[in-house]
């Protein structure tokens, strides 16, 4: 694991502990479905949940409301990974260093656990304690996750595998803005939405962050170690898929990721020193080894 800045490391570890503890409580059933759901949400970096908590801190959103929103995005993200790993999608055997859920159980359980995590995300948000702006937050999550967001990006990704010509840079950027970027944007702006504040600075931050995150993933697919990454690497190259690395080249892709991190940090200027932890998060995104 890459060494983290002390401030960011502490904030991330605290977020991970809070989210993990609460998810364990919320998914305490002993039946196979609850067991599979707990398996799906375990072991991740919980970066999206961290972004929710940090954006909420910037806008003085109550802790209980922020935590429910953080749990929601981690549940929805976990659902997306479980379904993404299925044989009918990316057909992966390894996730977060462990067998994918459909390998640990079976495909039917993976579908059901994913479905349950998705609906749980909205259940967690649909409570009056999150305040008067929660409906806007729920609507934004549905849009970010659905036909114009993450699911659309996944569809474009699958279509690209059988396309006659590789995707262009603009097409890959659009694909990843939907598949990865939409949920990162929702996470980073959640606190502002709940507070009824201007989301523009955090939206700009998240747009740059999401693209940098995906470029870093493409670089890890080339340079990463499967044991550290926690999933198969070099799959894109072997499949002949166009990526930021294949189109830009390895070093230009790294430079583009660094430039995006600077854009993300610049967007946080309105928050002054309070935005420092989010700046560190952006730097972590392109320095990580998993």
């Amino acid at each position: 694991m890459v060494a983290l800045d002390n401030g960011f490391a502490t904030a991330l570890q605290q977020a991970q502990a809070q989210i993990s503890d609460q998810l364990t409580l919320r998914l305490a059933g002993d039946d196979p479905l609850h067991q599979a759901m707990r398996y799906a949400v375990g072991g991740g970096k919980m970066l999206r949940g961290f972004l929710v908590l940090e954006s909420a801190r910037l806008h003085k959103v109550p802790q209980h409301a922020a935590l429910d929103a953080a749990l929601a995005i981690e549940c929805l993200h976990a659902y997306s990974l479980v379904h993404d790993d299925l044989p009918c999608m990316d057909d992966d055997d390894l996730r977060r260093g462990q067998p994918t859920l459909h390998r640990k159980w079976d495909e039917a359980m993976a579908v059901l656990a994913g479905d349950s995590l998705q609906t749980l995300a909205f259940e967690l948000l649909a409570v009056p304690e999150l305040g008067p702006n929660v409906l806007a937050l729920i609507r934004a999550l549905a849009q970010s996750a659905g036909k114009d967001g993450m699911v659309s990006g996944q569809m474009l990704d699958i279509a690209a595998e059988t396309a006659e010509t590789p995707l262009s840079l603009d097409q890959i950027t659009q694909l990843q803005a939907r598949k990865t970027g939409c949920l990162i944007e929702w996470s980073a702006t959640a606190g502002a939405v709940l507070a009824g504040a201007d989301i523009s600075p955090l939206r700009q931050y998240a747009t740059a962050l999401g693209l940098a995150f995906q470029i870093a993933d493409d670089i890890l697919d080339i340079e990463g170690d499967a044991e550290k990454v926690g999933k198969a690497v070099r799959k894109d190259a072997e499949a002949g898929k166009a990526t930021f690395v294949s189109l830009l080249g390895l070093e230009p892709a790294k430079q583009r990721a660094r430039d995006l991190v600077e854009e993300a940090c610049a967007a946080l200027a309105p928050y002054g020193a309070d935005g420092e932890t989010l700046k560190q998060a952006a730097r972590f995104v392109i320095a990580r080894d998993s």
Side-chain angles (χ1 to χ4, degrees):
M1 184 67 176
V2 68
L4 307 182
D5 179 277
N6 286 339
F8 170 63
T10 299
L12 181 61
Q13 288 163 4
Q14 288 175 345
Q16 290 168 338
Q18 289 177 314
I19 294 168
S20 295
D21 288 349
Q22 282 298 311
L23 285 173
T24 298
L25 289 173
R26 308 292 180 101
L27 297 171
D30 291 330
D31 59 278
L33 179 59
H34 280 82
Q35 293 171 16
M37 292 169 73
R38 286 196 299 272
Y39 185 83
V41 298
K45 291 181 287 293
M46 300 187 179
L47 180 64
R48 291 157 187 81
F50 160 81
L51 290 173
V52 170
L53 294 176
E54 191 61 21
S55 70
R57 182 189 66 80
L58 288 177
H59 293 89
K60 298 180 172 56
V61 173
Q63 176 69 12
H64 70 274
L67 188 54
D68 277 354
L71 299 180
I73 194 60
E74 287 299 329
C75 286
L76 198 136
H77 177 54
Y79 128 75
S80 75
L81 298 181
V82 170
H83 282 195
D84 195 30
D85 289 337
L86 285 168
C88 63
M89 301 277 244
D90 280 358
D91 193 15
D92 277 314
D93 297 326
L94 197 65
R95 171 70 67 179
R96 296 171 173 171
Q98 300 293 328
T100 48
L101 199 146
H102 68 277
R103 296 299 184 199
K104 180 77 171 179
W105 278 270
D106 54 37
E107 290 182 43
M109 182 59 76
V111 171
L112 294 172
D115 288 347
S116 297
L117 286 165
Q118 182 191 43
T119 55
L120 177 58
F122 291 96
E123 179 183 339
L124 288 163
L125 294 176
V127 291
E129 289 80 8
L130 268 71
N133 300 307
V134 68
L135 183 59
L137 192 67
I138 293 171
R139 180 177 177 83
L141 184 58
Q143 292 172 330
S144 297
K147 64 181 180 58
D148 297 316
M150 181 189 67
V151 172
S152 172
Q154 179 66 15
M155 179 274 296
L156 293 172
D157 198 21
I158 291 172
E161 294 177 0
T162 56
E164 293 184 3
T165 57
L167 297 183
S168 67
L169 187 60
D170 285 345
Q171 288 172 321
I172 291 177
T173 301
Q174 180 192 49
L175 185 163
Q176 298 300 347
R178 294 183 183 184
K179 184 178 179 182
T180 303
C182 280
L183 292 190
I184 288 178
E185 179 180 318
W186 185 91
S187 304
T189 58
V193 171
L194 285 174
D198 180 15
I199 69 170
S200 298
L202 288 174
R203 175 179 282 168
Q204 293 171 17
Y205 167 83
T207 297
L209 180 72
L211 190 53
F213 186 97
Q214 186 55 50
I215 293 174
D217 261 8
D218 288 352
I219 293 169
L220 282 174
D221 189 64
I222 298 295
E223 295 188 331
D225 178 89
E227 186 173 343
K228 290 182 179 179
V229 174
K231 60 182 181 180
V233 296
R234 285 169 276 284
K235 286 188 65 177
D236 290 341
E238 291 169 4
K241 287 178 62 175
T243 67
F244 288 107
V245 173
S246 70
L247 291 176
L248 294 175
L250 183 58
E251 290 307 317
K254 290 180 178 180
Q255 184 59 53
R256 178 62 178 141
R258 290 191 290 267
D259 291 343
L260 285 163
V261 167
E262 292 307 311
E263 289 179 27
C265 291
L268 297 171
Y271 301 105
D274 285 343
E276 183 58 32
T277 304
L278 284 178
K279 291 180 181 180
Q280 294 166 12
R283 297 183 187 111
F284 162 73
V285 156
I286 64 168
R288 62 198 166 91
D289 52 17
S290 65

